[in-house]
Amino acid sequence: MSDEKQSGDKRRGFPGSFLIFLLVAVLIALTVQNFLSAKYANVSFSYQVQHLVNLELINPADSRMVALGDNLVTLSGRFRDRLTEEGKARYKYLELLDREDMLSEKKELLGEELQSARGDVISAAGWFLELSGIAVPQGGYVVTPLSPVAPEQGEAIVIENVPRRVTSLSQLQQRISSLANNPDDAAVKQFGSDLSNLVQNFRSPALGIGQENLKQQLRKIDKDVLQASTLPQGGVAAVEVFSSALQQLGAIVDELNT
């Protein structure tokens, strides 16, 4: 009889425990929902909280600053429901300041690149004048004039003098007529060597020809000149190949000069 009474008490107590468990679960769910729906800000350093005040993101009525000493201040507050126009304007101002700083840094880097490119242009232009044999006019050979629109972009590039260290195209053009009149083996061999060196100099990275059609022309000229010495007809046939090569080089120089 006692066992039956205890068993009945347990059955009657079960629904009460279940209701308590259910109530606790509902309270936990409501707490989690409120936590997820609340607005929070992650701040890496304490001084960044002041920016929330400066941008009017914090409600002034709920903003608190408590001095703790040693130049430390504790800030607390509640976010506004909507952004203010003044806060938007201040944030836009900060965005523009940040963009100006980025553009200034980029401008400095581009200035360094321009200076480096300027040196490459001067070197390539001087090498072109040396190979072609084009005379430097009075006042210098103008590669890039000073821009009247944006003079701050850099000074004009003008070549005023050119060293003459290699045999130029103009020199070979002057020699070809005498070679045609006396095409002996030694003279043909020397002329072919000079012409081959000139073509290879035109193909060198120091000049930096980037147009693919010109690069292909120079490659073919180089091949023809190297094969000219093996022609069965001897010096006369080689001179014809050399003359054709000089004409092609002259056309390439005219195009590059333009």
Side-chain angles (χ1 to χ4, degrees):
M1 187 68 180
S2 174
D3 293 339
E4 292 177 356
K5 184 177 180 180
Q6 291 178 357
S7 176
D9 292 340
K10 290 180 178 180
R11 285 196 299 271
R12 286 193 296 272
F14 175 75
S17 300
F18 178 75
L19 289 176
I20 292 174
F21 173 78
L22 184 61
L23 180 60
V24 171
V26 172
L27 291 175
I28 293 175
L30 291 175
T31 303
V32 171
Q33 183 179 3
N34 291 333
F35 177 80
L36 295 177
S37 61
K39 297 180 180 179
Y40 292 92
N42 294 325
V43 179
S44 301
F45 301 98
S46 59
Y47 64 83
Q48 292 179 340
V49 181
Q50 182 62 42
H51 298 317
L52 303 179
V53 178
N54 296 337
L55 295 175
E56 296 191 353
L57 299 177
I58 304 296
N59 195 326
D62 299 323
S63 179
R64 301 287 185 274
M65 296 186 184
V66 180
L68 301 178
D70 296 331
N71 297 324
L72 296 178
V73 178
T74 298
L75 296 96
S76 62
R78 185 169 63 87
F79 282 104
R80 293 177 184 268
D81 295 330
R82 295 180 178 84
L83 296 176
T84 65
E85 293 300 322
E86 180 66 20
K88 293 179 182 178
R90 292 180 180 182
Y91 184 78
K92 185 65 176 178
Y93 176 71
L94 293 178
E95 270 190 328
L96 294 175
L97 284 179
D98 182 61
R99 181 168 179 78
E100 181 187 21
D101 183 63
M102 292 176 60
L103 291 176
S104 298
E105 183 178 355
K106 186 175 182 180
K107 180 181 179 181
E108 184 177 351
L109 293 175
L110 289 176
E112 295 175 357
E113 292 179 6
L114 283 174
Q115 284 298 114
S116 176
R118 177 183 174 84
D120 294 339
V121 169
I122 294 175
S123 176
W127 186 233
F128 167 72
L129 293 177
E130 187 173 355
L131 294 179
S132 63
I134 296 176
V136 179
Q138 186 176 3
Y141 182 88
V142 179
V143 181
T144 57
L146 180 64
S147 173
V149 179
E152 71 280 357
Q153 291 183 353
E155 299 178 358
I157 298 179
V158 180
I159 309 298
E160 297 181 350
N161 54 73
V162 177
R164 301 299 178 182
R165 298 165 294 185
V166 296
T167 302
S168 67
L169 175 62
S170 62
Q171 290 174 328
L172 292 181
Q173 288 172 336
Q174 294 172 3
R175 287 167 51 187
I176 190 65
S177 57
S178 60
L179 181 66
N181 295 329
N182 184 25
D184 63 86
D185 292 342
V188 169
K189 182 177 180 180
Q190 182 61 48
F191 192 95
S193 176
D194 293 340
L195 181 55
S196 178
N197 291 334
L198 178 64
V199 175
Q200 291 176 16
N201 285 331
F202 270 101
R203 297 181 62 189
S204 69
L207 186 57
I209 295 178
Q211 294 176 256
E212 188 59 33
N213 62 322
L214 297 184
K215 292 166 67 175
Q216 291 179 1
Q217 290 181 43
L218 289 170
R219 191 179 300 115
K220 183 178 183 305
I221 294 172
D222 193 13
K223 181 179 178 181
D224 293 342
V225 171
L226 290 176
Q227 293 177 347
S229 58
T230 62
L231 292 175
Q233 293 86 349
V236 176
V239 170
E240 293 179 358
V241 174
F242 296 158
S243 298
S244 175
L246 291 176
Q247 291 177 0
Q248 295 177 64
L249 283 177
I252 291 176
V253 167
D254 291 340
E255 183 172 349
L256 292 177
N257 191 40
T258 301

